[in-house]
Amino acid sequence: MINLKNIDIVYLVKNSKHNGELRYSLRSVCKNFPHRNIWFVGGMPEGIKADFYQPVKQDEKTKYQNVRKLLEAILSNKHISNNFILFNDDFFVLKPIKKLPVYANGDLHDYIEFVKKAANVTHSQY
């Protein structure tokens, strides 16, 4: 079982001055999810503060390229806990979380090979 007090909540935040959804998501996390720190990676909307902020310039042509930049920034940040929960502004914690079980399907490479074999697919970008 994972100790929730050691987990960081990490938000992917778009570059925008206003983000009402993020405000509501943060309220739900603070009320219902024990955590160590809250991180914003990307932008910093006005009037909303995180425990920590890592700015990331988002100017790529597609949102997928921007999200990739944000994920790379998170993975290279040594101050974010190894076990973290990734949030977007439209994620909400609707009831108190007391424990977080660990679910695993094993090694990611092995799981991808399993899915390919089960779907009878030899080449897939997925």
Side-chain angles (χ1 to χ4, degrees), residues 106-121:
D107 180 78
L108 180 59
H109 181 268
D110 294 341
Y111 187 70
I112 291 171
E113 292 304 316
F114 166 77
V115 169
K116 283 181 179 179
K117 185 181 276 187
N120 198 23
V121 175

Side-chain angles (χ1 to χ4, degrees), residues 3-69:
N3 182 353
L4 296 175
K5 300 276 185 186
N6 295 330
I7 290 181
D8 288 334
I9 305 294
V10 181
Y11 278 92
L12 302 177
V13 183
K14 61 188 171 190
N15 284 335
S16 173
K17 286 187 176 188
H18 304 287
N19 191 332
E21 296 89 354
L22 180 58
R23 184 179 310 273
Y24 293 119
S25 179
L26 281 168
R27 286 180 186 166
S28 76
V29 166
C30 290
K31 180 178 180 182
N32 293 317
F33 198 108
H35 58 276
R36 185 176 82 158
N37 295 306
I38 294 177
W39 282 82
F40 286 179
V41 176
M44 177 65 86
E46 292 178 355
I48 304 175
K49 299 244 186 281
D51 296 318
F52 295 96
Y53 169 54
Q54 180 177 351
V56 176
K57 188 175 180 184
Q58 300 172 63
D59 58 358
E60 300 300 329
K61 294 179 182 176
T62 71
K63 67 180 178 180
Y64 302 107
Q65 291 172 316
N66 284 326
V67 168
R68 183 181 179 112
K69 285 175 72 171

Side-chain angles (χ1 to χ4, degrees), residues 76-122:
S76 65
N77 186 325
K78 303 295 183 209
H79 301 289
I80 294 174
S81 60
N82 286 334
N83 291 317
F84 64 89
I85 306 292
L86 186 65
F87 267 71
N88 289 311
D89 61 7
D90 58 352
F91 290 10
F92 302 94
V93 184
L94 301 178
K95 62 183 182 179
I97 303 296
K98 305 238 185 276
K99 59 183 178 178
L100 188 65
V102 176
Y103 299 102
N105 287 327
D107 180 78
L108 180 59
H109 181 268
D110 294 341
Y111 187 70
I112 291 171
E113 292 304 316
F114 166 77
V115 169
K116 283 181 179 179
K117 185 181 276 187
N120 198 23
V121 175
T122 54

